Each structure stands twice: as structure tokens, then as C-alpha cells.
Amino acid sequence: MFECAIAYSETELCDTVFPTLRCTVEKGWSDMLVNVQPRTSDNTVRPEDEFRARCRALALTASASGRIPNQADLDELTRASRALARRGVPLRSLLHTMHVAAAQVLREKASSGDAGVVDGAVLMVSVLEAVGTAVSSVYLDSYGPGAGDRERARELTESMLTGDGECRRLADRAGVVIAAEYDVVSLSFDVPAFDEGSGGQGVIDRIEDEVVRSDIEGMLISLNGRGGVVLRPVGALGSVESLVGRIEHLLGRDVLATTASAAVDDIPNAATHCRELVALARGLNFRPGVYRTADMALEFQLTRPGPGRARLRSLIEPLGGSPELVHTLQTFISTEANRRVSAKALFVHPNTVDYRLKRIETLTGVDPLSPVGLMALHAALVVDALSRTEGDAPPPGDEVAEAS
């Protein structure tokens, strides 16, 4: 093929042979991937200027250096391709942009009288092969086997969460049997918002694939970079805790979750409640794990407005000048009123804990060693933390670490 190309003039090579080769290669890639196009592929969307510029830059660099792009050279183009794939830009549009960029570089090379235009055309074929492979791989990852199941599961999950009345139809299309009742699990994790090159969306996709294809039939999931929701059929094998543990393992970090059971028609309300609980748990710095309404009944009730909140918060106002006492009280509560464990956590002697608890009683008039008194002080701390997250005054004692 290359020997035949040499028989053409430079003008014919750029204006006739290369466009024909472009169409042939482009059609080959598109035909191979016809079954993995985005659902929006009928709506032609022109590629972003960034993608076009990167294609041109790669072609210029290859033409000047005589070198086929390596993986490092292709990284930025791959990231741009992934962004366009998520937006539903057809693969054919990207392939067309690549070949147009290469043809423009060759035309410029020919018009400048460069004698190496033929060698440049041969090189550009290899460049297009490398670039085409990289871009097409992105589309295979985004729309290949399993992606359809994932998208259908997301769509069905969102429908059930919003209660839009479409879930039965979507379930039939996805081949999912809707259970009578679900554990609604709201998840929160500290994953930074994903940029296009972070690879984070790939992690989310793999987690969703794992859940959809799990042994629990009919489980549904919809995640984003900060969390999401899982709908787990009530009565399925395992537990919500084991499910969250599996997601933690796949994600590689701790997960904070809240859960409640609900019939299908009540899922929207249950999901709203679980999102409120997980936001509350995050705001109060709860440890990672799974929490139910019963676990957070006090904290949840204290989020409701009323005169009792101001009264409760006033209980710990006398501790405002003693951050070490606030920290000791918080630790004493978190260790379930265990003096020795509290002392170990605070790196002090148990007698010091006793002394501080006595000081708390003296200042507040509430005995932290009595069940009723400790409950009241716990409620006061919760109200204080909630007030701070709502934009009220600073807590009674921010310099806890130094004072302890």
C-alpha cells in the first residue's frame, strides 16, 4: 500500500489518497464498535475544541519528531475522550476529528515544500492507529459489556427513589423483579469530586457492576463521587452491614451509611429520611459504619426546632472556658461512661478523669456519673454541635487537643 502511495504527487496524496484512507479507517473503527455506541449517538454533537486541539498537537509533534505517540503522549487525549464519551458524543465524531487533524498537518507539510511529505503520510497512518486505539478503548470501557446493565440499574434506581411511576416499566426492560420491600441504604464517603482524569468514575462503575451482578437478585444501586443509594431486597442473604463492608473494600476507604426498610411506594420518603440521617451523622463526626433510626433517635429529634434546644445548650455554657472538660465529657460519653478507657484515650490518669467529671458537675449542676445527668449532657453536646453546623456561635472549647 505504501509503495502505491509513492506514485502519487504530493497534492494528490493529501487531497485524494489520504481522505480515502481516512474514510476507510474511520468506517472500520465505527463498524467494529457499532454495538457499543452511546444511546445519544443519533444526536450529533461536535467534539470539544480541546479534543480537536490535542489531536492536532499530537499530529504536529509526531510529524516534527518522526515518532509515534507513546502512552504518556496519549494520556491527555484519553482524558478528553472519556469526558466526551460521558456526554454522549458519538465515537464517529471523534474519529472524524482525529483524521481531519492529521490531514491538515499533512497539507501544511506539503504546502511548505517539505520533501518528506510521503514519509509523513506513512507515519501519520501509524499515529492514527495509536490514537484510534486509545480513543476506541475509552468507548469500549464506557459502553462495552456490562455498561448497559449498569445504566439500566441506575435508571431504575433513580425512578424508584423519585417515585415517578416508571419503575415497573423500567424493571421489565431491565429484567429485574421488583421486591415488595427494600432496605434503603444511603451511603456517604470522602472521595474527592472526580475530575475527568482521576479514574474515580471507573471505580464507581466497578462498584455498581459488582453490586448489580451480585448473588442478591434485584439489588439496585446509584452512586456518585460522594455517596449514593443502594436498594437491597428485604430478606436477601447477608446483611446491610456486609453489603457496606463489600463497598468499603472495593472503594478502599471507610463508608458512613444509614438504612431504613420501606415498601416500594414508600421508598422516596425513606430515601429522604436516610439522606437526612447520613448528613446528620457526617455533621456530628460519627464513626464509619451502618446506623438506623433507632441508633440516632436522640440526635435526629434534637434537629427539630423548639425551646428545648436552647435550654439544653445552656447546660454546657459554663464549660466554655474549659476545653479540656468538654473533651473529657465527649470522650466519657463515646466510651460508654468507662473511666479507664476514657483515661487511656485522653492519655491521662483515671483520677484526672474523675477530677474533671467532678468539675463538670460543679460548673453545670448536672452529674455526669448519673444515667439521667449523662443523657442530658450528651443531648446538650449534640444540640451545640448541630447549632454550630447551622451557623450559630462557636463551640464551648475549640482548643481541645492542646488542652488535653
Side-chain angles (χ1 to χ4, degrees):
M1 179 179 71
F2 298 150
E3 292 178 356
C4 179
I6 295 175
Y8 288 86
S9 68
E10 294 176 358
T11 301
E12 290 172 326
L13 181 67
C14 292
D15 293 341
T16 304
V17 177
F18 195 80
T20 301
L21 178 62
R22 171 182 66 76
C23 293
T24 301
V25 175
E26 179 180 328
K27 186 177 186 304
W29 277 113
S30 297
D31 289 347
M32 184 184 76
L33 295 171
V34 67
N35 293 322
V36 297
Q37 290 292 309
R39 289 173 299 174
T40 56
S41 59
D42 291 338
N43 301 323
T44 303
V45 180
R46 291 183 61 80
E48 295 290 338
D49 291 339
E50 178 189 7
F51 181 81
R52 185 181 299 106
R54 294 195 186 286
C55 287
R56 177 174 171 79
L58 276 175
L60 285 170
T61 300
S63 178
S65 65
R67 180 177 60 82
I68 299 173
N70 57 31
Q71 187 56 52
D73 298 327
L74 295 169
D75 281 346
E76 292 298 324
L77 188 72
T78 299
R79 280 192 277 271
S81 302
R82 186 172 293 111
L84 296 177
R86 289 175 189 155
R87 286 181 49 200
V89 176
L91 175 60
R92 184 181 295 275
S93 295
L94 272 68
L95 295 173
H96 176 76
T97 299
M98 289 159 33
H99 288 87
V100 167
Q104 287 176 343
V105 170
L106 281 175
R107 286 193 181 93
E108 292 169 6
K109 193 177 184 73
S111 64
S112 67
D114 192 327
V117 66
V118 173
D119 291 337
V122 173
L123 171 65
M124 210 56 66
V125 171
S126 297
V127 171
L128 287 172
E129 179 182 6
V131 174
T133 299
V135 173
S136 300
S137 294
V138 169
Y139 272 71
L140 280 171
D141 289 341
S142 299
Y143 299 99
D149 292 341
R150 185 194 317 134
E151 291 300 322
R152 284 190 289 272
R154 284 177 183 167
E155 190 174 8
L156 175 55
T157 305
E158 293 300 327
S159 175
M160 295 178 73
L161 291 174
T162 58
D164 62 8
E166 291 291 308
C167 66
R168 303 289 178 184
R169 180 183 64 81
L170 293 173
D172 289 342
R173 193 182 77 172
V176 174
V177 177
I178 295 181
E181 192 175 9
Y182 285 87
D183 290 319
V184 181
V185 186
S186 182
L187 307 171
S188 173
F189 34 83
D190 291 330
V191 178
F194 299 136
D195 57 39
E196 299 299 345
S198 67
Q201 185 60 46
V203 174
I204 296 301
D205 290 345
R206 284 194 294 275
I207 293 174
E208 292 187 341
D209 288 343
E210 286 276 342
V211 171
V212 170
R213 299 173 186 175
S214 69
D215 296 334
I216 300 177
E217 185 177 354
M219 189 149 61
L220 300 168
I221 184 170
S222 178
L223 299 181
N224 56 46
R226 289 291 182 184
V229 176
V230 181
L231 300 179
R232 176 184 178 275
V234 168
L237 293 175
S239 64
V240 173
E241 282 76 8
S242 63
L243 168 65
V244 173
R246 184 177 178 186
I247 292 174
E248 284 182 326
H249 174 72
L250 293 169
L251 189 64
R253 64 186 66 209
D254 293 331
V255 173
L256 187 61
T258 56
T259 183
S261 300
V264 173
D265 292 341
D266 293 329
I267 285 177
N269 290 334
T272 299
H273 177 64
C274 287
R275 281 192 285 264
E276 289 179 354
L277 288 181
V278 82
L280 177 60
R282 180 67 70 190
L284 294 177
N285 296 316
F286 274 38
R287 295 173 180 172
V290 179
Y291 297 89
R292 292 167 173 79
T293 302
D295 301 322
M296 302 179 62
L298 172 64
E299 290 84 355
F300 183 74
Q301 189 58 42
L302 290 174
T303 64
R304 308 299 98 175
R309 285 183 55 163
R311 170 69 184 124
L312 281 171
R313 195 179 188 196
S314 68
L315 288 180
I316 58 171
E317 285 182 356
L319 306 181
S322 307
E324 76 283 0
L325 298 183
V326 175
H327 191 36
T328 298
L329 179 57
Q330 292 168 332
T331 305
F332 189 63
I333 292 170
S334 68
T335 60
E336 300 180 351
N338 190 311
R339 293 170 51 256
R340 293 191 178 277
V341 176
S342 297
K344 186 175 180 180
L346 293 168
F347 301 101
V348 298
H349 193 278
N351 289 344
T352 302
V353 174
D354 291 338
Y355 170 77
R356 291 180 181 178
L357 293 175
K358 193 64 178 175
R359 283 285 298 157
I360 291 171
E361 180 182 6
T362 300
L363 291 172
T364 64
V366 181
D367 182 7
L369 294 177
S370 74
V372 175
L374 189 61
M375 184 179 296
L377 290 170
H378 180 201
L381 288 172
V382 170
V383 168
D384 182 72
L386 290 172
S387 298
R388 283 184 278 121
T389 61
E390 294 165 1
D392 287 359
D398 271 338
E399 303 82 10
V400 169
E402 293 81 2
S404 300

